[in-house]
Every structure is written in structure tokens, then in C-alpha cells.
mmCIF file with all atom_site columns, all heavy atoms in Angstrom:
data_model
loop_
_atom_site.group_PDB
_atom_site.id
_atom_site.type_symbol
_atom_site.label_atom_id
_atom_site.label_alt_id
_atom_site.label_comp_id
_atom_site.label_asym_id
_atom_site.label_entity_id
_atom_site.label_seq_id
_atom_site.pdbx_PDB_ins_code
_atom_site.Cartn_x
_atom_site.Cartn_y
_atom_site.Cartn_z
_atom_site.occupancy
_atom_site.B_iso_or_equiv
_atom_site.pdbx_formal_charge
_atom_site.auth_seq_id
_atom_site.auth_comp_id
_atom_site.auth_asym_id
_atom_site.auth_atom_id
_atom_site.pdbx_PDB_model_num
ATOM 1   N N   . GLY V 1 1  ? 10.012 3.185  15.781  1.00 41.00 ? 1  GLY V N   1
ATOM 2   C CA  . GLY V 1 1  ? 8.759  3.785  16.184  1.00 41.00 ? 1  GLY V CA  1
ATOM 3   C C   . GLY V 1 1  ? 7.607  3.250  15.380  1.00 41.00 ? 1  GLY V C   1
ATOM 4   O O   . GLY V 1 1  ? 7.676  2.187  14.789  1.00 41.00 ? 1  GLY V O   1
ATOM 5   N N   . ARG V 1 2  ? 6.512  3.986  15.343  1.00 42.00 ? 2  ARG V N   1
ATOM 6   C CA  . ARG V 1 2  ? 5.326  3.572  14.628  1.00 42.00 ? 2  ARG V CA  1
ATOM 7   C C   . ARG V 1 2  ? 5.619  3.482  13.140  1.00 42.00 ? 2  ARG V C   1
ATOM 8   O O   . ARG V 1 2  ? 6.304  4.330  12.573  1.00 42.00 ? 2  ARG V O   1
ATOM 9   C CB  . ARG V 1 2  ? 4.212  4.585  14.892  1.00 42.00 ? 2  ARG V CB  1
ATOM 10  C CG  . ARG V 1 2  ? 2.862  4.135  14.384  1.00 42.00 ? 2  ARG V CG  1
ATOM 11  C CD  . ARG V 1 2  ? 1.786  5.085  14.861  1.00 42.00 ? 2  ARG V CD  1
ATOM 12  N NE  . ARG V 1 2  ? 1.721  5.111  16.323  1.00 42.00 ? 2  ARG V NE  1
ATOM 13  C CZ  . ARG V 1 2  ? 0.865  5.859  16.992  1.00 42.00 ? 2  ARG V CZ  1
ATOM 14  N NH1 . ARG V 1 2  ? 0.027  6.645  16.362  1.00 42.00 ? 2  ARG V NH1 1
ATOM 15  N NH2 . ARG V 1 2  ? 0.875  5.846  18.310  1.00 42.00 ? 2  ARG V NH2 1
ATOM 16  N N   . SER V 1 3  ? 5.141  2.447  12.484  1.00 45.00 ? 3  SER V N   1
ATOM 17  C CA  . SER V 1 3  ? 5.464  2.220  11.073  1.00 45.00 ? 3  SER V CA  1
ATOM 18  C C   . SER V 1 3  ? 4.918  3.342  10.207  1.00 45.00 ? 3  SER V C   1
ATOM 19  O O   . SER V 1 3  ? 3.821  3.835  10.411  1.00 45.00 ? 3  SER V O   1
ATOM 20  C CB  . SER V 1 3  ? 4.881  0.881  10.610  1.00 45.00 ? 3  SER V CB  1
ATOM 21  O OG  . SER V 1 3  ? 3.471  0.882  10.768  1.00 45.00 ? 3  SER V OG  1
ATOM 22  N N   . ARG V 1 4  ? 5.716  3.737  9.206   1.00 52.00 ? 4  ARG V N   1
ATOM 23  C CA  . ARG V 1 4  ? 5.293  4.801  8.309   1.00 52.00 ? 4  ARG V CA  1
ATOM 24  C C   . ARG V 1 4  ? 4.349  4.236  7.257   1.00 52.00 ? 4  ARG V C   1
ATOM 25  O O   . ARG V 1 4  ? 4.283  3.041  7.046   1.00 52.00 ? 4  ARG V O   1
ATOM 26  C CB  . ARG V 1 4  ? 6.519  5.414  7.633   1.00 52.00 ? 4  ARG V CB  1
ATOM 27  C CG  . ARG V 1 4  ? 7.310  4.439  6.795   1.00 52.00 ? 4  ARG V CG  1
ATOM 28  C CD  . ARG V 1 4  ? 8.590  5.061  6.328   1.00 52.00 ? 4  ARG V CD  1
ATOM 29  N NE  . ARG V 1 4  ? 9.364  4.112  5.548   1.00 52.00 ? 4  ARG V NE  1
ATOM 30  C CZ  . ARG V 1 4  ? 10.587 4.354  5.106   1.00 52.00 ? 4  ARG V CZ  1
ATOM 31  N NH1 . ARG V 1 4  ? 11.168 5.494  5.380   1.00 52.00 ? 4  ARG V NH1 1
ATOM 32  N NH2 . ARG V 1 4  ? 11.225 3.455  4.402   1.00 52.00 ? 4  ARG V NH2 1
ATOM 33  N N   . ARG V 1 5  ? 3.641  5.118  6.576   1.00 58.00 ? 5  ARG V N   1
ATOM 34  C CA  . ARG V 1 5  ? 2.708  4.676  5.548   1.00 58.00 ? 5  ARG V CA  1
ATOM 35  C C   . ARG V 1 5  ? 3.478  4.074  4.379   1.00 58.00 ? 5  ARG V C   1
ATOM 36  O O   . ARG V 1 5  ? 4.467  4.629  3.927   1.00 58.00 ? 5  ARG V O   1
ATOM 37  C CB  . ARG V 1 5  ? 1.861  5.850  5.065   1.00 58.00 ? 5  ARG V CB  1
ATOM 38  C CG  . ARG V 1 5  ? 0.927  6.385  6.145   1.00 58.00 ? 5  ARG V CG  1
ATOM 39  C CD  . ARG V 1 5  ? -0.103 7.323  5.537   1.00 58.00 ? 5  ARG V CD  1
ATOM 40  N NE  . ARG V 1 5  ? -0.963 7.904  6.547   1.00 58.00 ? 5  ARG V NE  1
ATOM 41  C CZ  . ARG V 1 5  ? -2.004 7.285  7.067   1.00 58.00 ? 5  ARG V CZ  1
ATOM 42  N NH1 . ARG V 1 5  ? -2.281 6.061  6.683   1.00 58.00 ? 5  ARG V NH1 1
ATOM 43  N NH2 . ARG V 1 5  ? -2.751 7.865  7.973   1.00 58.00 ? 5  ARG V NH2 1
ATOM 44  N N   . ARG V 1 6  ? 2.988  2.941  3.917   1.00 64.00 ? 6  ARG V N   1
ATOM 45  C CA  . ARG V 1 6  ? 3.657  2.260  2.823   1.00 64.00 ? 6  ARG V CA  1
ATOM 46  C C   . ARG V 1 6  ? 3.022  2.631  1.491   1.00 64.00 ? 6  ARG V C   1
ATOM 47  O O   . ARG V 1 6  ? 1.819  2.863  1.413   1.00 64.00 ? 6  ARG V O   1
ATOM 48  C CB  . ARG V 1 6  ? 3.585  0.741  3.030   1.00 64.00 ? 6  ARG V CB  1
ATOM 49  C CG  . ARG V 1 6  ? 4.313  0.247  4.254   1.00 64.00 ? 6  ARG V CG  1
ATOM 50  C CD  . ARG V 1 6  ? 4.027  -1.221 4.466   1.00 64.00 ? 6  ARG V CD  1
ATOM 51  N NE  . ARG V 1 6  ? 2.611  -1.451 4.743   1.00 64.00 ? 6  ARG V NE  1
ATOM 52  C CZ  . ARG V 1 6  ? 2.019  -2.636 4.659   1.00 64.00 ? 6  ARG V CZ  1
ATOM 53  N NH1 . ARG V 1 6  ? 2.718  -3.683 4.278   1.00 64.00 ? 6  ARG V NH1 1
ATOM 54  N NH2 . ARG V 1 6  ? 0.744  -2.769 4.948   1.00 64.00 ? 6  ARG V NH2 1
ATOM 55  N N   . ARG V 1 7  ? 3.862  2.648  0.470   1.00 74.00 ? 7  ARG V N   1
ATOM 56  C CA  . ARG V 1 7  ? 3.337  2.927  -0.855  1.00 74.00 ? 7  ARG V CA  1
ATOM 57  C C   . ARG V 1 7  ? 2.563  1.711  -1.357  1.00 74.00 ? 7  ARG V C   1
ATOM 58  O O   . ARG V 1 7  ? 2.904  0.575  -1.064  1.00 74.00 ? 7  ARG V O   1
ATOM 59  C CB  . ARG V 1 7  ? 4.482  3.233  -1.818  1.00 74.00 ? 7  ARG V CB  1
ATOM 60  C CG  . ARG V 1 7  ? 3.989  3.778  -3.149  1.00 74.00 ? 7  ARG V CG  1
ATOM 61  C CD  . ARG V 1 7  ? 5.129  4.108  -4.063  1.00 74.00 ? 7  ARG V CD  1
ATOM 62  N NE  . ARG V 1 7  ? 4.637  4.784  -5.247  1.00 74.00 ? 7  ARG V NE  1
ATOM 63  C CZ  . ARG V 1 7  ? 5.366  5.016  -6.315  1.00 74.00 ? 7  ARG V CZ  1
ATOM 64  N NH1 . ARG V 1 7  ? 6.617  4.627  -6.356  1.00 74.00 ? 7  ARG V NH1 1
ATOM 65  N NH2 . ARG V 1 7  ? 4.849  5.639  -7.367  1.00 74.00 ? 7  ARG V NH2 1
ATOM 66  N N   . GLY V 1 8  ? 1.519  1.955  -2.137  1.00 78.00 ? 8  GLY V N   1
ATOM 67  C CA  . GLY V 1 8  ? 0.675  0.876  -2.629  1.00 78.00 ? 8  GLY V CA  1
ATOM 68  C C   . GLY V 1 8  ? 1.336  0.018  -3.686  1.00 78.00 ? 8  GLY V C   1
ATOM 69  O O   . GLY V 1 8  ? 2.427  0.329  -4.184  1.00 78.00 ? 8  GLY V O   1
ATOM 70  N N   . ASN V 1 9  ? 0.653  -1.063 -4.036  1.00 85.00 ? 9  ASN V N   1
ATOM 71  C CA  . ASN V 1 9  ? 1.179  -2.001 -5.014  1.00 85.00 ? 9  ASN V CA  1
ATOM 72  C C   . ASN V 1 9  ? 1.154  -1.419 -6.425  1.00 85.00 ? 9  ASN V C   1
ATOM 73  O O   . ASN V 1 9  ? 0.238  -0.677 -6.793  1.00 85.00 ? 9  ASN V O   1
ATOM 74  C CB  . ASN V 1 9  ? 0.347  -3.296 -5.014  1.00 85.00 ? 9  ASN V CB  1
ATOM 75  C CG  . ASN V 1 9  ? 0.418  -4.021 -3.691  1.00 85.00 ? 9  ASN V CG  1
ATOM 76  O OD1 . ASN V 1 9  ? 1.466  -4.049 -3.054  1.00 85.00 ? 9  ASN V OD1 1
ATOM 77  N ND2 . ASN V 1 9  ? -0.689 -4.588 -3.255  1.00 85.00 ? 9  ASN V ND2 1
ATOM 78  N N   . HIS V 1 10 ? 2.176  -1.785 -7.219  1.00 90.00 ? 10 HIS V N   1
ATOM 79  C CA  . HIS V 1 10 ? 2.154  -1.462 -8.634  1.00 90.00 ? 10 HIS V CA  1
ATOM 80  C C   . HIS V 1 10 ? 1.237  -2.449 -9.348  1.00 90.00 ? 10 HIS V C   1
ATOM 81  O O   . HIS V 1 10 ? 1.120  -3.621 -8.951  1.00 90.00 ? 10 HIS V O   1
ATOM 82  C CB  . HIS V 1 10 ? 3.555  -1.561 -9.240  1.00 90.00 ? 10 HIS V CB  1
ATOM 83  C CG  . HIS V 1 10 ? 4.532  -0.571 -8.663  1.00 90.00 ? 10 HIS V CG  1
ATOM 84  N ND1 . HIS V 1 10 ? 4.208  0.753  -8.456  1.00 90.00 ? 10 HIS V ND1 1
ATOM 85  C CD2 . HIS V 1 10 ? 5.828  -0.701 -8.270  1.00 90.00 ? 10 HIS V CD2 1
ATOM 86  C CE1 . HIS V 1 10 ? 5.256  1.389  -7.952  1.00 90.00 ? 10 HIS V CE1 1
ATOM 87  N NE2 . HIS V 1 10 ? 6.244  0.521  -7.820  1.00 90.00 ? 10 HIS V NE2 1
ATOM 88  N N   . LEU V 1 11 ? 0.602  -2.006 -10.404 1.00 93.00 ? 11 LEU V N   1
ATOM 89  C CA  . LEU V 1 11 ? -0.243 -2.870 -11.224 1.00 93.00 ? 11 LEU V CA  1
ATOM 90  C C   . LEU V 1 11 ? 0.366  -2.984 -12.624 1.00 93.00 ? 11 LEU V C   1
ATOM 91  O O   . LEU V 1 11 ? 1.108  -2.104 -13.064 1.00 93.00 ? 11 LEU V O   1
ATOM 92  C CB  . LEU V 1 11 ? -1.663 -2.304 -11.317 1.00 93.00 ? 11 LEU V CB  1
ATOM 93  C CG  . LEU V 1 11 ? -2.455 -2.235 -10.010 1.00 93.00 ? 11 LEU V CG  1
ATOM 94  C CD1 . LEU V 1 11 ? -3.830 -1.640 -10.263 1.00 93.00 ? 11 LEU V CD1 1
ATOM 95  C CD2 . LEU V 1 11 ? -2.591 -3.619 -9.380  1.00 93.00 ? 11 LEU V CD2 1
ATOM 96  N N   . HIS V 1 12 ? 0.026  -4.074 -13.312 1.00 92.00 ? 12 HIS V N   1
ATOM 97  C CA  . HIS V 1 12 ? 0.554  -4.313 -14.654 1.00 92.00 ? 12 HIS V CA  1
ATOM 98  C C   . HIS V 1 12 ? -0.584 -4.706 -15.593 1.00 92.00 ? 12 HIS V C   1
ATOM 99  O O   . HIS V 1 12 ? -1.524 -5.389 -15.194 1.00 92.00 ? 12 HIS V O   1
ATOM 100 C CB  . HIS V 1 12 ? 1.605  -5.427 -14.625 1.00 92.00 ? 12 HIS V CB  1
ATOM 101 C CG  . HIS V 1 12 ? 2.799  -5.102 -13.785 1.00 92.00 ? 12 HIS V CG  1
ATOM 102 N ND1 . HIS V 1 12 ? 3.954  -4.552 -14.303 1.00 92.00 ? 12 HIS V ND1 1
ATOM 103 C CD2 . HIS V 1 12 ? 3.006  -5.225 -12.445 1.00 92.00 ? 12 HIS V CD2 1
ATOM 104 C CE1 . HIS V 1 12 ? 4.820  -4.374 -13.327 1.00 92.00 ? 12 HIS V CE1 1
ATOM 105 N NE2 . HIS V 1 12 ? 4.272  -4.770 -12.189 1.00 92.00 ? 12 HIS V NE2 1
ATOM 106 N N   . CYS V 1 13 ? -0.475 -4.267 -16.830 1.00 94.00 ? 13 CYS V N   1
ATOM 107 C CA  . CYS V 1 13 ? -1.444 -4.652 -17.851 1.00 94.00 ? 13 CYS V CA  1
ATOM 108 C C   . CYS V 1 13 ? -0.729 -4.734 -19.196 1.00 94.00 ? 13 CYS V C   1
ATOM 109 O O   . CYS V 1 13 ? 0.426  -4.312 -19.324 1.00 94.00 ? 13 CYS V O   1
ATOM 110 C CB  . CYS V 1 13 ? -2.608 -3.660 -17.926 1.00 94.00 ? 13 CYS V CB  1
ATOM 111 S SG  . CYS V 1 13 ? -2.152 -2.051 -18.634 1.00 94.00 ? 13 CYS V SG  1
ATOM 112 N N   . THR V 1 14 ? -1.401 -5.295 -20.189 1.00 95.00 ? 14 THR V N   1
ATOM 113 C CA  . THR V 1 14 ? -0.840 -5.402 -21.537 1.00 95.00 ? 14 THR V CA  1
ATOM 114 C C   . THR V 1 14 ? -1.748 -4.665 -22.511 1.00 95.00 ? 14 THR V C   1
ATOM 115 O O   . THR V 1 14 ? -2.974 -4.822 -22.465 1.00 95.00 ? 14 THR V O   1
ATOM 116 C CB  . THR V 1 14 ? -0.716 -6.879 -21.963 1.00 95.00 ? 14 THR V CB  1
ATOM 117 O OG1 . THR V 1 14 ? 0.154  -7.555 -21.057 1.00 95.00 ? 14 THR V OG1 1
ATOM 118 C CG2 . THR V 1 14 ? -0.140 -6.993 -23.368 1.00 95.00 ? 14 THR V CG2 1
ATOM 119 N N   . ILE V 1 15 ? -1.155 -3.859 -23.383 1.00 95.00 ? 15 ILE V N   1
ATOM 120 C CA  . ILE V 1 15 ? -1.905 -3.151 -24.427 1.00 95.00 ? 15 ILE V CA  1
ATOM 121 C C   . ILE V 1 15 ? -1.515 -3.725 -25.775 1.00 95.00 ? 15 ILE V C   1
ATOM 122 O O   . ILE V 1 15 ? -0.343 -3.692 -26.159 1.00 95.00 ? 15 ILE V O   1
ATOM 123 C CB  . ILE V 1 15 ? -1.628 -1.636 -24.384 1.00 95.00 ? 15 ILE V CB  1
ATOM 124 C CG1 . ILE V 1 15 ? -2.100 -1.046 -23.051 1.00 95.00 ? 15 ILE V CG1 1
ATOM 125 C CG2 . ILE V 1 15 ? -2.314 -0.931 -25.552 1.00 95.00 ? 15 ILE V CG2 1
ATOM 126 C CD1 . ILE V 1 15 ? -1.848 0.434  -22.905 1.00 95.00 ? 15 ILE V CD1 1
ATOM 127 N N   . GLN V 1 16 ? -2.496 -4.261 -26.503 1.00 96.00 ? 16 GLN V N   1
ATOM 128 C CA  . GLN V 1 16 ? -2.249 -4.861 -27.812 1.00 96.00 ? 16 GLN V CA  1
ATOM 129 C C   . GLN V 1 16 ? -2.345 -3.791 -28.897 1.00 96.00 ? 16 GLN V C   1
ATOM 130 O O   . GLN V 1 16 ? -3.262 -2.971 -28.896 1.00 96.00 ? 16 GLN V O   1
ATOM 131 C CB  . GLN V 1 16 ? -3.273 -5.973 -28.074 1.00 96.00 ? 16 GLN V CB  1
ATOM 132 C CG  . GLN V 1 16 ? -2.953 -6.841 -29.265 1.00 96.00 ? 16 GLN V CG  1
ATOM 133 C CD  . GLN V 1 16 ? -1.737 -7.731 -29.024 1.00 96.00 ? 16 GLN V CD  1
ATOM 134 O OE1 . GLN V 1 16 ? -1.568 -8.281 -27.938 1.00 96.00 ? 16 GLN V OE1 1
ATOM 135 N NE2 . GLN V 1 16 ? -0.875 -7.848 -30.026 1.00 96.00 ? 16 GLN V NE2 1
ATOM 136 N N   . MET V 1 17 ? -1.387 -3.799 -29.827 1.00 96.00 ? 17 MET V N   1
ATOM 137 C CA  . MET V 1 17 ? -1.381 -2.834 -30.919 1.00 96.00 ? 17 MET V CA  1
ATOM 138 C C   . MET V 1 17 ? -1.122 -3.550 -32.243 1.00 96.00 ? 17 MET V C   1
ATOM 139 O O   . MET V 1 17 ? -0.373 -4.532 -32.301 1.00 96.00 ? 17 MET V O   1
ATOM 140 C CB  . MET V 1 17 ? -0.298 -1.762 -30.710 1.00 96.00 ? 17 MET V CB  1
ATOM 141 C CG  . MET V 1 17 ? -0.445 -0.948 -29.449 1.00 96.00 ? 17 MET V CG  1
ATOM 142 S SD  . MET V 1 17 ? 0.802  0.380  -29.326 1.00 96.00 ? 17 MET V SD  1
ATOM 143 C CE  . MET V 1 17 ? 0.177  1.534  -30.568 1.00 96.00 ? 17 MET V CE  1
ATOM 144 N N   . ASP V 1 18 ? -1.744 -3.039 -33.321 1.00 96.00 ? 18 ASP V N   1
ATOM 145 C CA  . ASP V 1 18 ? -1.429 -3.534 -34.651 1.00 96.00 ? 18 ASP V CA  1
ATOM 146 C C   . ASP V 1 18 ? -0.050 -3.038 -35.058 1.00 96.00 ? 18 ASP V C   1
ATOM 147 O O   . ASP V 1 18 ? 0.454  -2.042 -34.525 1.00 96.00 ? 18 ASP V O   1
ATOM 148 C CB  . ASP V 1 18 ? -2.474 -3.052 -35.664 1.00 96.00 ? 18 ASP V CB  1
ATOM 149 C CG  . ASP V 1 18 ? -3.835 -3.698 -35.425 1.00 96.00 ? 18 ASP V CG  1
ATOM 150 O OD1 . ASP V 1 18 ? -3.862 -4.807 -34.867 1.00 96.00 ? 18 ASP V OD1 1
ATOM 151 O OD2 . ASP V 1 18 ? -4.859 -3.080 -35.791 1.00 96.00 ? 18 ASP V OD2 1
ATOM 152 N N   . PHE V 1 19 ? 0.549  -3.702 -36.045 1.00 97.00 ? 19 PHE V N   1
ATOM 153 C CA  . PHE V 1 19 ? 1.935  -3.420 -36.415 1.00 97.00 ? 19 PHE V CA  1
ATOM 154 C C   . PHE V 1 19 ? 2.159  -1.951 -36.743 1.00 97.00 ? 19 PHE V C   1
ATOM 155 O O   . PHE V 1 19 ? 3.161  -1.354 -36.322 1.00 97.00 ? 19 PHE V O   1
ATOM 156 C CB  . PHE V 1 19 ? 2.326  -4.286 -37.625 1.00 97.00 ? 19 PHE V CB  1
ATOM 157 C CG  . PHE V 1 19 ? 3.753  -4.111 -38.052 1.00 97.00 ? 19 PHE V CG  1
ATOM 158 C CD1 . PHE V 1 19 ? 4.774  -4.867 -37.471 1.00 97.00 ? 19 PHE V CD1 1
ATOM 159 C CD2 . PHE V 1 19 ? 4.099  -3.187 -39.039 1.00 97.00 ? 19 PHE V CD2 1
ATOM 160 C CE1 . PHE V 1 19 ? 6.095  -4.699 -37.863 1.00 97.00 ? 19 PHE V CE1 1
ATOM 161 C CE2 . PHE V 1 19 ? 5.417  -3.015 -39.428 1.00 97.00 ? 19 PHE V CE2 1
ATOM 162 C CZ  . PHE V 1 19 ? 6.414  -3.769 -38.837 1.00 97.00 ? 19 PHE V CZ  1
ATOM 163 N N   . ALA V 1 20 ? 1.260  -1.338 -37.512 1.00 96.00 ? 20 ALA V N   1
ATOM 164 C CA  . ALA V 1 20 ? 1.479  0.024  -38.005 1.00 96.00 ? 20 ALA V CA  1
ATOM 165 C C   . ALA V 1 20 ? 1.019  1.110  -37.035 1.00 96.00 ? 20 ALA V C   1
ATOM 166 O O   . ALA V 1 20 ? 1.325  2.288  -37.242 1.00 96.00 ? 20 ALA V O   1
ATOM 167 C CB  . ALA V 1 20 ? 0.781  0.213  -39.355 1.00 96.00 ? 20 ALA V CB  1
ATOM 168 N N   . GLU V 1 21 ? 0.306  0.751  -35.962 1.00 96.00 ? 21 GLU V N   1
ATOM 169 C CA  . GLU V 1 21 ? -0.227 1.776  -35.054 1.00 96.00 ? 21 GLU V CA  1
ATOM 170 C C   . GLU V 1 21 ? 0.846  2.648  -34.409 1.00 96.00 ? 21 GLU V C   1
ATOM 171 O O   . GLU V 1 21 ? 0.627  3.851  -34.218 1.00 96.00 ? 21 GLU V O   1
ATOM 172 C CB  . GLU V 1 21 ? -1.094 1.122  -33.982 1.00 96.00 ? 21 GLU V CB  1
ATOM 173 C CG  . GLU V 1 21 ? -2.467 0.715  -34.473 1.00 96.00 ? 21 GLU V CG  1
ATOM 174 C CD  . GLU V 1 21 ? -3.382 0.271  -33.349 1.00 96.00 ? 21 GLU V CD  1
ATOM 175 O OE1 . GLU V 1 21 ? -3.073 -0.753 -32.710 1.00 96.00 ? 21 GLU V OE1 1
ATOM 176 O OE2 . GLU V 1 21 ? -4.399 0.954  -33.102 1.00 96.00 ? 21 GLU V OE2 1
ATOM 177 N N   . PRO V 1 22 ? 2.029  2.108  -34.059 1.00 96.00 ? 22 PRO V N   1
ATOM 178 C CA  . PRO V 1 22 ? 3.053  2.978  -33.466 1.00 96.00 ? 22 PRO V CA  1
ATOM 179 C C   . PRO V 1 22 ? 3.589  4.050  -34.405 1.00 96.00 ? 22 PRO V C   1
ATOM 180 O O   . PRO V 1 22 ? 4.405  4.878  -33.993 1.00 96.00 ? 22 PRO V O   1
ATOM 181 C CB  . PRO V 1 22 ? 4.165  1.986  -33.077 1.00 96.00 ? 22 PRO V CB  1
ATOM 182 C CG  . PRO V 1 22 ? 3.476  0.686  -32.896 1.00 96.00 ? 22 PRO V CG  1
ATOM 183 C CD  . PRO V 1 22 ? 2.420  0.680  -33.957 1.00 96.00 ? 22 PRO V CD  1
ATOM 184 N N   . ALA V 1 23 ? 3.149  4.063  -35.661 1.00 95.00 ? 23 ALA V N   1
ATOM 185 C CA  . ALA V 1 23 ? 3.579  5.122  -36.582 1.00 95.00 ? 23 ALA V CA  1
ATOM 186 C C   . ALA V 1 23 ? 3.027  6.482  -36.158 1.00 95.00 ? 23 ALA V C   1
ATOM 187 O O   . ALA V 1 23 ? 3.547  7.530  -36.550 1.00 95.00 ? 23 ALA V O   1
ATOM 188 C CB  . ALA V 1 23 ? 3.130  4.808  -38.013 1.00 95.00 ? 23 ALA V CB  1
ATOM 189 N N   . GLU V 1 24 ? 1.987  6.478  -35.334 1.00 95.00 ? 24 GLU V N   1
ATOM 190 C CA  . GLU V 1 24 ? 1.386  7.719  -34.854 1.00 95.00 ? 24 GLU V CA  1
ATOM 191 C C   . GLU V 1 24 ? 1.051  7.579  -33.367 1.00 95.00 ? 24 GLU V C   1
ATOM 192 O O   . GLU V 1 24 ? 0.915  6.476  -32.844 1.00 95.00 ? 24 GLU V O   1
ATOM 193 C CB  . GLU V 1 24 ? 0.105  8.034  -35.634 1.00 95.00 ? 24 GLU V CB  1
ATOM 194 C CG  . GLU V 1 24 ? 0.327  8.261  -37.126 1.00 95.00 ? 24 GLU V CG  1
ATOM 195 C CD  . GLU V 1 24 ? -0.976 8.502  -37.862 1.00 95.00 ? 24 GLU V CD  1
ATOM 196 O OE1 . GLU V 1 24 ? -2.050 8.280  -37.260 1.00 95.00 ? 24 GLU V OE1 1
ATOM 197 O OE2 . GLU V 1 24 ? -0.926 8.905  -39.032 1.00 95.00 ? 24 GLU V OE2 1
ATOM 198 N N   . THR V 1 25 ? 0.908  8.707  -32.698 1.00 94.00 ? 25 THR V N   1
ATOM 199 C CA  . THR V 1 25 ? 0.486  8.701  -31.294 1.00 94.00 ? 25 THR V CA  1
ATOM 200 C C   . THR V 1 25 ? -0.909 8.098  -31.191 1.00 94.00 ? 25 THR V C   1
ATOM 201 O O   . THR V 1 25 ? -1.790 8.426  -31.996 1.00 94.00 ? 25 THR V O   1
ATOM 202 C CB  . THR V 1 25 ? 0.485  10.132 -30.724 1.00 94.00 ? 25 THR V CB  1
ATOM 203 O OG1 . THR V 1 25 ? 1.806  10.663 -30.791 1.00 94.00 ? 25 THR V OG1 1
ATOM 204 C CG2 . THR V 1 25 ? 0.029  10.139 -29.274 1.00 94.00 ? 25 THR V CG2 1
#
């Protein structure tokens, strides 16, 4: 039958962090 609505595209990005930043939220 008639085509169903398709889900949109996923997007990707990169987040740069300093070495010690993951020590905290």
C-alpha cells in the first residue's frame, strides 16, 4: 500500500575534551 513515514537521518558530530575533563560531568 501507500508507503509509511520514514524515520529521518541520524547525524554525527565529534566533541573534543581535555584529558582530565571526564573526571567530572
Side-chain angles (χ1 to χ4, degrees):
R2 190 172 299 180
S3 60
R4 61 188 179 186
R5 294 193 183 279
R6 296 172 296 163
R7 190 178 187 191
N9 297 323
H10 296 315
L11 296 179
H12 298 266
C13 71
T14 299
I15 297 179
Q16 191 70 41
M17 300 184 73
D18 292 334
F19 182 87
E21 283 189 296
E24 298 177 349
T25 299

